[in-house]
Amino acid sequence: MEDQDLVVCAGLLLLRHRRRHRHRRRMWVHDILRGREQHGEFHRLVRELRLDEERFQRYFRLDREQFDSLLSKIGPLLSMQSTNCRRPIPPAERLAICLRFLATGDSYRTVAYSYRVGVSTVASVVRQVTRVIWDALVGEYMPTPTTEDWRSVAEGFQRRWAFPNCLGSIDGKHVVIRAPDNSGSLFYNYKGTYSVVLLAVVDAEYCFRVVDVGAYGRTSDGGVLANSTFGQKLQDGTLGLPQDALLPGAEHLGPQPYAFVADEAFPLRRNLLRPFPGRQSGSRRVFNYRLSHARLIVENTFGILTSQWRMYRGVIGISPLNVDACVKATCVLHNFLRRTTTTNTRTTPAPAGPPAADSDAAGLLPVTRVGSNNSTREAIRVRETFMSYFTNEGAVTWQPAV
């Protein structure tokens, strides 16, 4: 009996000790972190960078005017109340921490050391700010497209890329992540890495019109499209697409549907054009060439996104839900920068370079990919009509000869 009492007493003492330890750690701040306002990167380096516009832009990927404009939009949503125990990190510093993480792809720990805050603080800030950025900007810089918006996109593709009735370029991008615990092969993709998929529709100005983030890496692009809200609306005909319209100079072909352009990983549909499989010749080669010319816009946009936000260049070691929030934030920030950056400083691939003459088969996926044998007669007819148009009335000087 005495032994049992001793065990109980020892357990109570240990529990009391742990509670006191936890209580002390809750109130404890490392001396290095106490010097945040004197030596932290935001309070020293960032202040100096404000005196140099070019270096400020390289550091944050936003210039001073864009940073202040973004802060004015999201600052009120980031403000936190001061208490007797602590003073909250101000909105400007929270935004700086988040942008620095997105711009560099550094670990939470590296950013924490630079800004002299805790690692858990960086995680909390990134989680909060990325969601606030999306919520604050999406309505203005990536709103749900209306019929007029789709028509405007089509005008842009006709003007810049000589592809009429084109509503946008579609593709998927694998965002490499650390393998989540107990996820099996859900996130394992054909490239041999773990990822979530960013499915995007891009307009002729390299801006995102629709994004869908979070599909498992093992899912094909066609499968991602089929499971996305956008893909389901495209299938149901509820996207609000414009009515069929005549192709320029080809009234005899009759009204043709507006369509998106994609690669062979996607199914052929009435409103979704993909190339003829394999290496082609004659009119089919011309069609593949012209479609590739328009489709590469989404590839170029992914390239701009990756060069601007370098978190995409490595393995993102955070949870998939937070990865989704970061990806959505960078996409809407991409549009924000495209529309607020002056033309002479904007990074844009040269529009004058059509693909090489033999590139119609380059990078195409096997014929057996999703949707390759599920085309309707109407979808086949639409593709044949566009093929005839590009060979005759819609021919341009830089396309291959038939």
Side-chain angles (χ1 to χ4, degrees):
M1 188 68 181
E2 292 181 357
D3 292 341
Q4 292 180 350
D5 292 340
L6 288 175
V7 171
V8 171
C9 290
L12 291 174
L13 288 173
L14 180 61
L15 180 60
R16 184 178 180 183
H17 173 74
R18 287 180 176 176
R19 286 179 176 175
R20 285 181 176 179
H21 181 68
R22 285 201 300 267
H23 181 70
R24 286 199 303 270
R25 288 298 299 271
R26 241 184 246 122
M27 302 299 296
W28 178 78
V29 178
H30 196 282
D31 289 340
I32 292 178
L33 305 187
R34 290 181 185 275
R36 175 174 62 87
E37 295 185 356
Q38 291 74 39
H39 307 291
E41 202 160 295
F42 179 78
H43 297 275
R44 294 181 66 87
L45 177 61
V46 173
R47 287 183 179 180
E48 296 176 10
L49 289 175
R50 276 195 167 270
L51 303 177
D52 189 317
E53 180 70 48
E54 183 179 354
R55 291 179 183 272
F56 186 95
Q57 195 279 333
R58 288 179 181 174
Y59 183 85
F60 282 125
R61 304 299 190 262
L62 284 71
D63 61 34
R64 288 173 299 183
E65 184 177 350
Q66 290 169 333
F67 183 93
D68 293 338
S69 173
L70 178 59
L71 182 60
S72 68
K73 295 176 184 295
I74 71 173
L77 302 174
L78 298 178
S79 298
M80 302 182 71
Q81 185 176 3
S82 298
T83 67
N84 294 330
C85 298
R86 63 163 177 79
R87 287 188 300 171
I89 299 176
E93 189 169 0
R94 301 174 80 85
L95 175 59
I97 290 172
C98 180
L99 290 177
R100 191 60 181 160
F101 171 76
L102 299 176
T104 63
D106 288 340
S107 67
Y108 284 165
R109 189 172 300 278
T110 300
V111 177
Y113 283 145
S114 297
Y115 282 81
R116 298 207 177 199
V117 296
V119 176
S120 61
T121 300
V122 174
S124 175
V125 166
V126 171
R127 183 169 57 248
Q128 177 201 27
V129 176
T130 51
R131 287 164 171 79
V132 169
I133 288 174
W134 172 260
D135 292 339
L137 298 185
V138 66
E140 182 177 358
Y141 294 98
M142 203 190 299
T144 302
T146 64
T147 302
E148 287 304 315
D149 292 333
W150 289 126
R151 190 173 285 112
S152 175
V153 171
E155 291 173 356
F157 269 94
Q158 170 63 22
R159 182 179 65 255
R160 296 196 64 179
W161 308 107
F163 201 111
N165 290 21
C166 180
L167 298 174
S169 179
I170 301 180
D171 202 3
K173 174 179 174 58
H174 286 272
V175 181
V176 181
I177 64 173
R178 184 181 61 198
D181 296 336
N182 304 316
S183 62
S185 62
L186 283 176
F187 294 91
Y188 192 76
N189 61 50
Y190 70 95
K191 298 181 179 180
T193 60
Y194 294 87
S195 64
V196 294
V197 181
L198 162 62
L199 179 72
V201 178
V202 174
D203 65 20
E205 307 295 332
Y206 301 96
C207 285
F208 293 104
R209 289 293 178 148
V210 178
V211 295
D212 183 272
V213 189
Y216 297 130
R218 66 179 295 178
T219 311
S220 68
D221 286 346
V224 173
L225 176 68
N227 296 329
S228 68
T229 301
F230 169 80
Q232 292 169 3
K233 288 187 175 181
L234 179 63
Q235 179 73 21
D236 298 339
T238 56
L239 276 179
L241 304 184
Q243 294 293 322
D244 296 0
L246 297 173
L247 300 178
E251 291 77 7
H252 64 284
L253 295 177
Q256 299 301 317
Y258 286 86
F260 299 92
V261 293
D263 62 21
E264 274 195 336
F266 295 87
L268 177 64
R269 296 178 184 168
R270 185 177 188 273
N271 297 112
L272 182 61
L273 297 176
R274 69 170 197 169
F276 292 98
R279 185 175 294 276
Q280 299 291 337
S281 60
S283 299
R284 288 190 171 192
R285 181 176 179 229
V286 171
F287 174 84
N288 283 5
Y289 184 89
R290 294 291 294 274
L291 183 136
S292 175
H293 189 225
R295 188 189 61 79
L296 285 177
I297 307 307
V298 68
E299 300 284 357
N300 291 340
T301 303
F302 285 151
I304 297 172
L305 185 74
T306 301
S307 65
Q308 196 85 331
W309 307 105
R310 299 199 173 190
M311 73 166 196
Y312 289 104
R313 296 195 173 186
V315 178
I316 306 176
I318 58 180
S319 71
L321 285 178
N322 289 335
V323 171
D324 295 351
C326 290
V327 171
K328 289 165 65 177
T330 55
C331 288
V332 76
L333 282 171
H334 171 92
N335 285 6
F336 172 75
L337 293 176
R338 299 288 303 174
R339 294 173 183 172
T340 58
T341 302
T342 55
T343 305
N344 59 338
T345 59
R346 179 182 297 173
T347 302
T348 303
D358 292 328
S359 67
D360 52 317
L364 298 183
L365 299 171
V367 184
T368 56
R369 290 298 297 267
V370 173
S372 59
N373 299 315
N374 297 326
S375 306
T376 65
R377 292 182 179 178
E378 173 68 5
I380 295 173
R381 183 199 64 77
V382 169
R383 183 166 65 175
E384 295 286 343
T385 302
F386 273 89
M387 179 185 69
S388 174
Y389 174 77
F390 290 141
T391 306
N392 298 290
E393 299 84 2
V396 293
T397 57
W398 41 263
Q399 72 184 37
V402 178

